[in-house]
Short mmCIF file of all heavy atoms in Angstrom, two decimals:
data_model
loop_
_atom_site.label_atom_id
_atom_site.label_comp_id
_atom_site.label_asym_id
_atom_site.label_seq_id
_atom_site.Cartn_x
_atom_site.Cartn_y
_atom_site.Cartn_z
N MET Z 1 0.85 -1.18 0.00
CA MET Z 1 0.00 0.00 0.00
C MET Z 1 0.89 1.24 0.00
O MET Z 1 1.82 1.36 0.80
CB MET Z 1 -0.90 -0.04 1.24
CG MET Z 1 -1.92 1.05 1.27
SD MET Z 1 -3.25 0.68 2.42
CE MET Z 1 -2.79 1.70 3.78
N THR Z 2 0.61 2.18 -0.87
CA THR Z 2 1.39 3.40 -0.94
C THR Z 2 0.93 4.38 0.13
O THR Z 2 -0.27 4.49 0.42
CB THR Z 2 1.25 4.08 -2.33
OG1 THR Z 2 -0.13 4.23 -2.61
CG2 THR Z 2 1.91 3.27 -3.41
N PRO Z 3 1.88 5.08 0.75
CA PRO Z 3 1.51 6.05 1.79
C PRO Z 3 0.72 7.22 1.19
O PRO Z 3 0.97 7.62 0.06
CB PRO Z 3 2.83 6.52 2.37
CG PRO Z 3 3.88 6.09 1.40
CD PRO Z 3 3.31 5.01 0.55
N THR Z 4 -0.21 7.73 1.96
CA THR Z 4 -0.97 8.89 1.49
C THR Z 4 -0.22 10.17 1.85
O THR Z 4 0.66 10.17 2.71
CB THR Z 4 -2.37 8.94 2.15
OG1 THR Z 4 -2.22 9.16 3.54
CG2 THR Z 4 -3.14 7.66 1.89
N ILE Z 5 -0.60 11.24 1.23
CA ILE Z 5 0.07 12.52 1.45
C ILE Z 5 -0.16 13.02 2.88
O ILE Z 5 0.66 13.75 3.43
CB ILE Z 5 -0.39 13.56 0.40
CG1 ILE Z 5 0.55 14.73 0.38
CG2 ILE Z 5 -1.82 13.99 0.65
CD1 ILE Z 5 0.40 15.62 -0.82
N LEU Z 6 -1.24 12.60 3.52
CA LEU Z 6 -1.54 13.02 4.89
C LEU Z 6 -1.19 11.95 5.92
O LEU Z 6 -1.69 11.98 7.05
CB LEU Z 6 -3.03 13.39 5.01
CG LEU Z 6 -3.48 14.62 4.23
CD1 LEU Z 6 -4.98 14.79 4.32
CD2 LEU Z 6 -2.76 15.86 4.71
N ALA Z 7 -0.28 11.05 5.59
CA ALA Z 7 0.08 9.96 6.49
C ALA Z 7 0.66 10.46 7.81
O ALA Z 7 0.51 9.80 8.84
CB ALA Z 7 1.07 9.02 5.81
N ASP Z 8 1.31 11.61 7.82
CA ASP Z 8 1.92 12.16 9.04
C ASP Z 8 0.96 13.04 9.83
O ASP Z 8 1.38 13.68 10.78
CB ASP Z 8 3.17 12.97 8.69
CG ASP Z 8 4.28 12.10 8.12
OD1 ASP Z 8 4.33 10.90 8.46
OD2 ASP Z 8 5.09 12.62 7.34
N TYR Z 9 -0.30 13.06 9.44
CA TYR Z 9 -1.28 13.93 10.08
C TYR Z 9 -2.42 13.11 10.66
O TYR Z 9 -2.71 12.02 10.21
CB TYR Z 9 -1.83 14.95 9.09
CG TYR Z 9 -0.79 15.95 8.67
CD1 TYR Z 9 0.08 15.67 7.62
CD2 TYR Z 9 -0.66 17.16 9.32
CE1 TYR Z 9 1.07 16.58 7.25
CE2 TYR Z 9 0.31 18.08 8.95
CZ TYR Z 9 1.17 17.77 7.92
OH TYR Z 9 2.13 18.67 7.56
N ILE Z 10 -3.06 13.68 11.68
CA ILE Z 10 -4.21 13.06 12.33
C ILE Z 10 -5.35 14.07 12.30
O ILE Z 10 -5.13 15.28 12.40
CB ILE Z 10 -3.83 12.64 13.77
CG1 ILE Z 10 -4.93 11.83 14.44
CG2 ILE Z 10 -3.43 13.82 14.62
CD1 ILE Z 10 -4.50 11.19 15.76
N THR Z 11 -6.56 13.58 12.13
CA THR Z 11 -7.71 14.49 12.09
C THR Z 11 -8.08 14.94 13.50
O THR Z 11 -7.67 14.34 14.50
CB THR Z 11 -8.95 13.83 11.45
OG1 THR Z 11 -9.40 12.77 12.30
CG2 THR Z 11 -8.66 13.32 10.05
N ARG Z 12 -8.87 15.95 13.55
CA ARG Z 12 -9.36 16.50 14.82
C ARG Z 12 -10.14 15.43 15.59
O ARG Z 12 -9.96 15.26 16.80
CB ARG Z 12 -10.24 17.70 14.48
CG ARG Z 12 -10.82 18.45 15.60
CD ARG Z 12 -11.45 19.73 15.00
NE ARG Z 12 -12.45 20.26 15.86
CZ ARG Z 12 -13.76 20.15 15.65
NH1 ARG Z 12 -14.22 19.55 14.60
NH2 ARG Z 12 -14.60 20.65 16.51
N GLU Z 13 -10.97 14.69 14.89
CA GLU Z 13 -11.77 13.64 15.52
C GLU Z 13 -10.88 12.51 16.05
O GLU Z 13 -11.11 12.00 17.16
CB GLU Z 13 -12.80 13.08 14.54
CG GLU Z 13 -13.88 14.08 14.14
CD GLU Z 13 -13.43 15.11 13.10
OE1 GLU Z 13 -12.38 14.92 12.45
OE2 GLU Z 13 -14.13 16.13 12.96
N GLN Z 14 -9.88 12.14 15.28
CA GLN Z 14 -8.96 11.08 15.71
C GLN Z 14 -8.17 11.52 16.94
O GLN Z 14 -7.99 10.74 17.87
CB GLN Z 14 -7.99 10.72 14.59
CG GLN Z 14 -8.63 9.99 13.43
CD GLN Z 14 -7.69 9.88 12.23
OE1 GLN Z 14 -6.92 10.78 11.95
NE2 GLN Z 14 -7.77 8.77 11.54
N LEU Z 15 -7.71 12.77 16.94
CA LEU Z 15 -6.95 13.26 18.08
C LEU Z 15 -7.82 13.33 19.33
O LEU Z 15 -7.38 12.93 20.41
CB LEU Z 15 -6.34 14.63 17.78
CG LEU Z 15 -5.48 15.23 18.90
CD1 LEU Z 15 -4.32 14.30 19.26
CD2 LEU Z 15 -4.98 16.60 18.53
N ALA Z 16 -9.03 13.79 19.19
CA ALA Z 16 -9.95 13.86 20.33
C ALA Z 16 -10.15 12.46 20.92
O ALA Z 16 -10.10 12.28 22.13
CB ALA Z 16 -11.28 14.47 19.91
N GLU Z 17 -10.33 11.49 20.06
CA GLU Z 17 -10.52 10.11 20.52
C GLU Z 17 -9.26 9.60 21.23
O GLU Z 17 -9.35 8.99 22.29
CB GLU Z 17 -10.86 9.21 19.34
CG GLU Z 17 -11.21 7.80 19.74
CD GLU Z 17 -11.63 6.95 18.56
OE1 GLU Z 17 -12.27 7.47 17.63
OE2 GLU Z 17 -11.31 5.75 18.57
N GLU Z 18 -8.10 9.87 20.66
CA GLU Z 18 -6.84 9.42 21.26
C GLU Z 18 -6.62 10.03 22.64
O GLU Z 18 -6.17 9.35 23.55
CB GLU Z 18 -5.65 9.81 20.37
CG GLU Z 18 -5.49 8.98 19.13
CD GLU Z 18 -4.78 7.67 19.40
OE1 GLU Z 18 -3.91 7.63 20.28
OE2 GLU Z 18 -5.12 6.70 18.72
N LEU Z 19 -6.94 11.32 22.78
CA LEU Z 19 -6.70 12.03 24.04
C LEU Z 19 -7.87 11.89 25.02
O LEU Z 19 -7.79 12.38 26.14
CB LEU Z 19 -6.45 13.52 23.76
CG LEU Z 19 -5.20 13.85 22.96
CD1 LEU Z 19 -5.13 15.36 22.70
CD2 LEU Z 19 -3.95 13.37 23.68
N LYS Z 20 -8.94 11.25 24.58
CA LYS Z 20 -10.15 11.08 25.41
C LYS Z 20 -10.73 12.43 25.84
O LYS Z 20 -11.09 12.65 26.99
CB LYS Z 20 -9.85 10.23 26.65
CG LYS Z 20 -9.22 8.89 26.36
CD LYS Z 20 -10.20 7.94 25.74
CE LYS Z 20 -9.64 6.52 25.65
NZ LYS Z 20 -9.24 6.12 24.34
N VAL Z 21 -10.79 13.35 24.87
CA VAL Z 21 -11.42 14.65 25.07
C VAL Z 21 -12.40 14.87 23.92
O VAL Z 21 -12.41 14.12 22.96
CB VAL Z 21 -10.39 15.81 25.12
CG1 VAL Z 21 -9.43 15.63 26.28
CG2 VAL Z 21 -9.63 15.95 23.81
N THR Z 22 -13.20 15.91 24.02
CA THR Z 22 -14.13 16.22 22.94
C THR Z 22 -13.46 17.11 21.90
O THR Z 22 -12.44 17.74 22.18
CB THR Z 22 -15.38 16.94 23.48
OG1 THR Z 22 -14.98 18.20 24.00
CG2 THR Z 22 -16.08 16.11 24.55
N THR Z 23 -14.06 17.18 20.74
CA THR Z 23 -13.55 18.10 19.72
C THR Z 23 -13.72 19.55 20.17
O THR Z 23 -12.92 20.40 19.80
CB THR Z 23 -14.23 17.88 18.35
OG1 THR Z 23 -15.65 17.97 18.52
CG2 THR Z 23 -13.87 16.52 17.77
N ARG Z 24 -14.73 19.80 21.01
CA ARG Z 24 -14.90 21.15 21.56
C ARG Z 24 -13.73 21.53 22.45
O ARG Z 24 -13.33 22.69 22.49
CB ARG Z 24 -16.21 21.25 22.33
CG ARG Z 24 -17.42 21.29 21.40
CD ARG Z 24 -18.66 21.58 22.15
NE ARG Z 24 -18.57 22.94 22.71
CZ ARG Z 24 -19.58 23.60 23.20
NH1 ARG Z 24 -20.78 23.04 23.22
NH2 ARG Z 24 -19.42 24.80 23.70
N THR Z 25 -13.19 20.55 23.19
CA THR Z 25 -12.01 20.81 24.02
C THR Z 25 -10.83 21.19 23.13
O THR Z 25 -10.09 22.13 23.44
CB THR Z 25 -11.67 19.59 24.89
OG1 THR Z 25 -12.76 19.36 25.79
CG2 THR Z 25 -10.39 19.80 25.68
N LEU Z 26 -10.65 20.48 22.03
CA LEU Z 26 -9.57 20.82 21.09
C LEU Z 26 -9.76 22.23 20.55
O LEU Z 26 -8.80 22.99 20.41
CB LEU Z 26 -9.50 19.81 19.94
CG LEU Z 26 -9.07 18.39 20.30
CD1 LEU Z 26 -9.12 17.50 19.06
CD2 LEU Z 26 -7.68 18.37 20.91
N ASP Z 27 -11.01 22.59 20.24
CA ASP Z 27 -11.31 23.94 19.76
C ASP Z 27 -10.96 24.98 20.82
O ASP Z 27 -10.39 26.04 20.51
CB ASP Z 27 -12.78 24.08 19.39
CG ASP Z 27 -13.17 23.25 18.18
OD1 ASP Z 27 -12.26 22.84 17.40
OD2 ASP Z 27 -14.38 23.00 18.01
N LYS Z 28 -11.31 24.69 22.07
CA LYS Z 28 -11.01 25.61 23.16
C LYS Z 28 -9.51 25.78 23.32
O LYS Z 28 -9.00 26.89 23.47
CB LYS Z 28 -11.63 25.10 24.46
CG LYS Z 28 -11.38 26.01 25.65
CD LYS Z 28 -12.04 25.46 26.90
CE LYS Z 28 -11.73 26.33 28.10
NZ LYS Z 28 -12.32 25.79 29.32
N TRP Z 29 -8.76 24.67 23.29
CA TRP Z 29 -7.30 24.74 23.40
C TRP Z 29 -6.71 25.56 22.26
O TRP Z 29 -5.78 26.33 22.46
CB TRP Z 29 -6.69 23.34 23.40
CG TRP Z 29 -6.94 22.54 24.64
CD1 TRP Z 29 -7.42 22.99 25.83
CD2 TRP Z 29 -6.73 21.14 24.79
NE1 TRP Z 29 -7.51 21.95 26.73
CE2 TRP Z 29 -7.09 20.80 26.11
CE3 TRP Z 29 -6.27 20.14 23.95
CZ2 TRP Z 29 -7.00 19.51 26.61
CZ3 TRP Z 29 -6.18 18.85 24.44
CH2 TRP Z 29 -6.54 18.54 25.75
N ALA Z 30 -7.26 25.39 21.06
CA ALA Z 30 -6.77 26.16 19.90
C ALA Z 30 -7.04 27.64 20.11
O ALA Z 30 -6.17 28.49 19.85
CB ALA Z 30 -7.43 25.66 18.62
N TRP Z 31 -8.22 27.97 20.60
CA TRP Z 31 -8.58 29.37 20.86
C TRP Z 31 -7.68 29.97 21.92
O TRP Z 31 -7.25 31.12 21.82
CB TRP Z 31 -10.05 29.45 21.26
CG TRP Z 31 -10.55 30.84 21.39
CD1 TRP Z 31 -10.91 31.68 20.37
CD2 TRP Z 31 -10.72 31.58 22.60
NE1 TRP Z 31 -11.32 32.89 20.88
CE2 TRP Z 31 -11.20 32.86 22.25
CE3 TRP Z 31 -10.53 31.28 23.94
CZ2 TRP Z 31 -11.49 33.83 23.20
CZ3 TRP Z 31 -10.82 32.26 24.88
CH2 TRP Z 31 -11.29 33.51 24.50
N LEU Z 32 -7.37 29.19 22.95
CA LEU Z 32 -6.48 29.65 24.03
C LEU Z 32 -5.00 29.55 23.67
O LEU Z 32 -4.15 30.01 24.43
CB LEU Z 32 -6.74 28.83 25.31
CG LEU Z 32 -8.09 28.99 25.96
CD1 LEU Z 32 -8.27 27.97 27.07
CD2 LEU Z 32 -8.25 30.41 26.51
N ARG Z 33 -4.72 28.97 22.53
CA ARG Z 33 -3.34 28.72 22.06
C ARG Z 33 -2.56 27.89 23.07
O ARG Z 33 -1.39 28.14 23.33
CB ARG Z 33 -2.64 30.03 21.75
CG ARG Z 33 -3.30 30.81 20.63
CD ARG Z 33 -2.54 32.07 20.32
NE ARG Z 33 -3.27 32.89 19.38
CZ ARG Z 33 -2.97 32.99 18.09
NH1 ARG Z 33 -1.96 32.33 17.60
NH2 ARG Z 33 -3.68 33.78 17.31
N SER Z 34 -3.24 26.90 23.65
CA SER Z 34 -2.58 26.05 24.63
C SER Z 34 -2.50 24.59 24.19
O SER Z 34 -1.90 23.78 24.87
CB SER Z 34 -3.31 26.13 25.97
OG SER Z 34 -4.62 25.62 25.85
N GLY Z 35 -3.12 24.28 23.07
CA GLY Z 35 -3.11 22.91 22.57
C GLY Z 35 -2.05 22.70 21.50
O GLY Z 35 -1.26 23.60 21.22
N PRO Z 36 -2.03 21.52 20.91
CA PRO Z 36 -1.08 21.25 19.84
C PRO Z 36 -1.38 22.11 18.62
O PRO Z 36 -2.53 22.49 18.38
CB PRO Z 36 -1.26 19.77 19.54
CG PRO Z 36 -2.59 19.40 20.09
CD PRO Z 36 -2.88 20.36 21.19
N LYS Z 37 -0.34 22.43 17.87
CA LYS Z 37 -0.48 23.24 16.67
C LYS Z 37 -1.32 22.49 15.64
O LYS Z 37 -1.16 21.29 15.47
CB LYS Z 37 0.91 23.54 16.11
CG LYS Z 37 0.92 24.51 14.95
CD LYS Z 37 2.32 24.98 14.63
CE LYS Z 37 3.21 23.84 14.18
NZ LYS Z 37 4.49 24.32 13.64
N LYS Z 38 -2.23 23.20 14.98
CA LYS Z 38 -3.08 22.58 13.98
C LYS Z 38 -2.95 23.31 12.65
O LYS Z 38 -2.48 24.45 12.59
CB LYS Z 38 -4.54 22.56 14.42
CG LYS Z 38 -5.20 23.92 14.42
CD LYS Z 38 -6.67 23.82 14.76
CE LYS Z 38 -7.30 25.19 14.69
NZ LYS Z 38 -8.73 25.15 14.92
N ILE Z 39 -3.35 22.62 11.60
CA ILE Z 39 -3.44 23.27 10.29
C ILE Z 39 -4.85 23.04 9.75
O ILE Z 39 -5.49 22.07 10.10
CB ILE Z 39 -2.39 22.75 9.29
CG1 ILE Z 39 -2.61 21.27 8.98
CG2 ILE Z 39 -0.99 22.97 9.78
CD1 ILE Z 39 -1.90 20.82 7.72
N LYS Z 40 -5.32 23.98 8.95
CA LYS Z 40 -6.63 23.85 8.33
C LYS Z 40 -6.45 23.68 6.84
O LYS Z 40 -5.69 24.41 6.21
CB LYS Z 40 -7.51 25.07 8.61
CG LYS Z 40 -8.09 25.06 10.01
CD LYS Z 40 -9.12 26.13 10.18
CE LYS Z 40 -10.41 25.62 9.62
NZ LYS Z 40 -11.57 26.45 9.90
N ILE Z 41 -7.15 22.72 6.30
CA ILE Z 41 -7.22 22.53 4.86
C ILE Z 41 -8.71 22.56 4.52
O ILE Z 41 -9.45 21.65 4.88
CB ILE Z 41 -6.58 21.20 4.42
CG1 ILE Z 41 -5.12 21.15 4.83
CG2 ILE Z 41 -6.74 21.00 2.91
CD1 ILE Z 41 -4.43 19.83 4.61
N GLY Z 42 -9.11 23.66 3.90
CA GLY Z 42 -10.54 23.85 3.68
C GLY Z 42 -11.23 23.99 5.02
O GLY Z 42 -10.82 24.78 5.86
N ALA Z 43 -12.25 23.18 5.25
CA ALA Z 43 -12.98 23.23 6.52
C ALA Z 43 -12.47 22.20 7.52
O ALA Z 43 -12.97 22.13 8.63
CB ALA Z 43 -14.47 22.99 6.25
N ARG Z 44 -11.47 21.41 7.14
CA ARG Z 44 -10.97 20.33 8.02
C ARG Z 44 -9.71 20.75 8.76
O ARG Z 44 -8.86 21.44 8.20
CB ARG Z 44 -10.66 19.08 7.19
CG ARG Z 44 -11.83 18.59 6.40
CD ARG Z 44 -12.44 17.34 6.75
NE ARG Z 44 -11.83 16.57 7.80
CZ ARG Z 44 -12.17 15.33 8.05
NH1 ARG Z 44 -13.07 14.75 7.32
NH2 ARG Z 44 -11.62 14.67 9.03
N CYS Z 45 -9.60 20.32 10.01
CA CYS Z 45 -8.41 20.57 10.83
C CYS Z 45 -7.58 19.30 10.91
O CYS Z 45 -8.13 18.20 11.06
CB CYS Z 45 -8.80 20.97 12.25
SG CYS Z 45 -9.57 22.58 12.35
N TYR Z 46 -6.28 19.47 10.82
CA TYR Z 46 -5.35 18.35 10.95
C TYR Z 46 -4.25 18.73 11.93
O TYR Z 46 -3.93 19.90 12.10
CB TYR Z 46 -4.71 18.01 9.60
CG TYR Z 46 -5.68 17.47 8.59
CD1 TYR Z 46 -6.33 18.31 7.70
CD2 TYR Z 46 -5.94 16.11 8.53
CE1 TYR Z 46 -7.23 17.81 6.78
CE2 TYR Z 46 -6.84 15.60 7.61
CZ TYR Z 46 -7.47 16.45 6.73
OH TYR Z 46 -8.37 15.95 5.82
N TYR Z 47 -3.69 17.71 12.55
CA TYR Z 47 -2.58 17.89 13.48
C TYR Z 47 -1.44 17.00 13.02
O TYR Z 47 -1.66 15.81 12.75
CB TYR Z 47 -3.00 17.49 14.90
CG TYR Z 47 -4.11 18.32 15.47
CD1 TYR Z 47 -5.44 18.05 15.18
CD2 TYR Z 47 -3.84 19.40 16.30
CE1 TYR Z 47 -6.47 18.82 15.70
CE2 TYR Z 47 -4.85 20.18 16.82
CZ TYR Z 47 -6.16 19.88 16.51
OH TYR Z 47 -7.17 20.66 17.04
N LYS Z 48 -0.25 17.57 12.94
CA LYS Z 48 0.91 16.77 12.58
C LYS Z 48 1.26 15.91 13.79
O LYS Z 48 1.37 16.41 14.91
CB LYS Z 48 2.08 17.67 12.21
CG LYS Z 48 3.20 16.95 11.53
CD LYS Z 48 4.20 17.92 10.94
CE LYS Z 48 5.20 17.14 10.12
NZ LYS Z 48 6.13 18.03 9.45
N ARG Z 49 1.43 14.63 13.56
CA ARG Z 49 1.68 13.69 14.66
C ARG Z 49 2.88 14.13 15.50
O ARG Z 49 2.83 14.06 16.73
CB ARG Z 49 1.90 12.29 14.13
CG ARG Z 49 0.66 11.68 13.51
CD ARG Z 49 0.94 10.32 12.87
NE ARG Z 49 -0.18 9.88 12.07
CZ ARG Z 49 -1.23 9.23 12.56
NH1 ARG Z 49 -1.29 8.95 13.83
NH2 ARG Z 49 -2.21 8.86 11.76
N GLN Z 50 3.93 14.59 14.85
CA GLN Z 50 5.13 15.02 15.58
C GLN Z 50 4.85 16.23 16.46
O GLN Z 50 5.38 16.33 17.57
CB GLN Z 50 6.26 15.34 14.61
CG GLN Z 50 7.53 14.63 14.98
CD GLN Z 50 8.56 14.73 13.88
OE1 GLN Z 50 8.26 14.60 12.70
NE2 GLN Z 50 9.78 14.98 14.28
N ASP Z 51 4.01 17.15 16.00
CA ASP Z 51 3.63 18.32 16.80
C ASP Z 51 2.83 17.90 18.04
O ASP Z 51 3.01 18.45 19.12
CB ASP Z 51 2.81 19.32 15.97
CG ASP Z 51 3.64 20.02 14.91
OD1 ASP Z 51 4.88 20.00 15.01
OD2 ASP Z 51 3.03 20.58 13.98
N VAL Z 52 1.96 16.91 17.86
CA VAL Z 52 1.17 16.41 18.99
C VAL Z 52 2.09 15.76 20.02
O VAL Z 52 1.96 16.01 21.22
CB VAL Z 52 0.07 15.43 18.53
CG1 VAL Z 52 -0.62 14.78 19.72
CG2 VAL Z 52 -0.94 16.12 17.62
N LEU Z 53 3.04 14.95 19.56
CA LEU Z 53 3.97 14.31 20.49
C LEU Z 53 4.81 15.34 21.23
O LEU Z 53 5.04 15.21 22.44
CB LEU Z 53 4.87 13.32 19.73
CG LEU Z 53 4.16 12.09 19.17
CD1 LEU Z 53 5.10 11.27 18.29
CD2 LEU Z 53 3.58 11.24 20.28
N ALA Z 54 5.27 16.37 20.54
CA ALA Z 54 6.05 17.43 21.18
C ALA Z 54 5.20 18.17 22.21
O ALA Z 54 5.67 18.48 23.31
CB ALA Z 54 6.58 18.41 20.14
N TRP Z 55 3.94 18.43 21.89
CA TRP Z 55 3.03 19.09 22.82
C TRP Z 55 2.81 18.23 24.06
O TRP Z 55 2.83 18.74 25.18
CB TRP Z 55 1.71 19.39 22.11
CG TRP Z 55 0.67 19.97 23.01
CD1 TRP Z 55 0.57 21.26 23.45
CD2 TRP Z 55 -0.43 19.27 23.60
NE1 TRP Z 55 -0.52 21.39 24.27
CE2 TRP Z 55 -1.15 20.19 24.38
CE3 TRP Z 55 -0.88 17.96 23.53
CZ2 TRP Z 55 -2.30 19.84 25.09
CZ3 TRP Z 55 -2.02 17.61 24.24
CH2 TRP Z 55 -2.70 18.55 25.01
N LEU Z 56 2.62 16.91 23.86
CA LEU Z 56 2.45 16.01 25.00
C LEU Z 56 3.68 16.00 25.90
O LEU Z 56 3.56 16.03 27.12
CB LEU Z 56 2.14 14.59 24.51
CG LEU Z 56 0.73 14.36 23.97
CD1 LEU Z 56 0.64 12.99 23.31
CD2 LEU Z 56 -0.29 14.49 25.07
N ASP Z 57 4.86 15.98 25.29
CA ASP Z 57 6.11 16.03 26.07
C ASP Z 57 6.18 17.33 26.88
O ASP Z 57 6.58 17.32 28.04
CB ASP Z 57 7.33 15.92 25.16
CG ASP Z 57 7.55 14.51 24.65
OD1 ASP Z 57 6.98 13.55 25.23
OD2 ASP Z 57 8.30 14.35 23.66
N ALA Z 58 5.79 18.43 26.26
CA ALA Z 58 5.82 19.73 26.95
C ALA Z 58 4.84 19.74 28.13
O ALA Z 58 5.12 20.36 29.16
CB ALA Z 58 5.49 20.86 25.98
N GLN Z 59 3.71 19.05 28.01
CA GLN Z 59 2.75 18.98 29.11
C GLN Z 59 3.36 18.25 30.29
O GLN Z 59 3.20 18.67 31.44
CB GLN Z 59 1.46 18.27 28.68
CG GLN Z 59 0.72 18.94 27.53
CD GLN Z 59 0.57 20.43 27.71
OE1 GLN Z 59 -0.08 20.87 28.64
NE2 GLN Z 59 1.15 21.19 26.83
N GLY Z 60 4.10 17.20 30.03
CA GLY Z 60 4.77 16.46 31.09
C GLY Z 60 5.86 17.31 31.76
O GLY Z 60 6.00 17.29 32.98
N ASP Z 61 6.59 18.08 30.95
CA ASP Z 61 7.63 18.96 31.49
C ASP Z 61 7.02 20.04 32.38
O ASP Z 61 7.56 20.38 33.41
CB ASP Z 61 8.44 19.61 30.36
CG ASP Z 61 9.26 18.59 29.57
OD1 ASP Z 61 9.49 17.47 30.10
OD2 ASP Z 61 9.69 18.92 28.45
N ALA Z 62 5.87 20.59 31.97
CA ALA Z 62 5.21 21.62 32.75
C ALA Z 62 4.76 21.08 34.10
O ALA Z 62 4.83 21.78 35.12
CB ALA Z 62 4.03 22.20 31.97
N GLN Z 63 4.30 19.84 34.13
CA GLN Z 63 3.87 19.25 35.40
C GLN Z 63 5.06 19.02 36.32
O GLN Z 63 4.96 19.20 37.52
CB GLN Z 63 3.15 17.93 35.15
CG GLN Z 63 1.76 18.12 34.59
CD GLN Z 63 1.02 16.81 34.40
OE1 GLN Z 63 1.57 15.73 34.58
NE2 GLN Z 63 -0.22 16.90 33.99
N LYS Z 64 6.20 18.65 35.76
CA LYS Z 64 7.40 18.44 36.56
C LYS Z 64 7.85 19.75 37.18
O LYS Z 64 8.26 19.79 38.34
CB LYS Z 64 8.53 17.88 35.70
CG LYS Z 64 8.34 16.43 35.32
CD LYS Z 64 9.49 15.97 34.45
CE LYS Z 64 9.23 14.62 33.85
NZ LYS Z 64 10.27 14.23 32.90
N GLU Z 65 7.77 20.83 36.42
CA GLU Z 65 8.20 22.15 36.92
C GLU Z 65 7.28 22.64 38.03
O GLU Z 65 7.70 23.33 38.95
CB GLU Z 65 8.23 23.16 35.78
CG GLU Z 65 9.36 22.91 34.79
CD GLU Z 65 9.32 23.83 33.59
OE1 GLU Z 65 8.50 24.78 33.60
OE2 GLU Z 65 10.08 23.61 32.65
N ALA Z 66 5.99 22.31 37.93
CA ALA Z 66 5.03 22.75 38.93
C ALA Z 66 5.17 21.99 40.24
O ALA Z 66 4.77 22.48 41.29
CB ALA Z 66 3.61 22.58 38.39
N ALA Z 67 5.75 20.82 40.17
CA ALA Z 67 5.88 19.99 41.40
C ALA Z 67 7.00 20.44 42.29
O ALA Z 67 7.81 21.21 42.10
CB ALA Z 67 6.11 18.54 41.01
#
């Protein structure tokens, strides 16, 4: 199977499911500029997998600093 052009990206719905949050939560994080970086193609939002992983790592670092 040939890789698709969006193989390195995850949809908003997929990310919400992975993180066990709602798509509204992702929207709120985007509005607050506190969530993972997203890109829009037409009306659809995508997240680069590497950006999500970096954001998750940063969340862990922030918790360590707060402790």
Side-chain angles (χ1 to χ4, degrees):
M1 186 162 102
T2 52
T4 66
I5 196 165
L6 293 174
D8 294 333
Y9 292 85
I10 187 170
T11 66
R12 181 171 158 256
E13 293 78 15
Q14 290 169 324
L15 182 59
E17 186 176 325
E18 285 279 327
L19 295 177
K20 306 288 189 256
V21 299
T22 65
T23 55
R24 286 188 65 166
T25 296
L26 293 177
D27 292 342
K28 181 179 177 182
W29 290 346
W31 187 78
L32 294 171
R33 298 182 188 256
S34 64
K37 186 168 63 170
K38 71 175 183 176
I39 64 163
K40 283 190 82 170
I41 301 173
R44 303 248 355 192
C45 291
Y46 293 92
Y47 297 83
K48 193 168 188 176
R49 293 175 191 275
Q50 231 169 318
D51 290 342
V52 173
L53 292 173
W55 175 78
L56 286 170
D57 285 343
Q59 300 312 297
D61 293 342
Q63 286 183 355
K64 286 179 190 174
E65 290 174 9

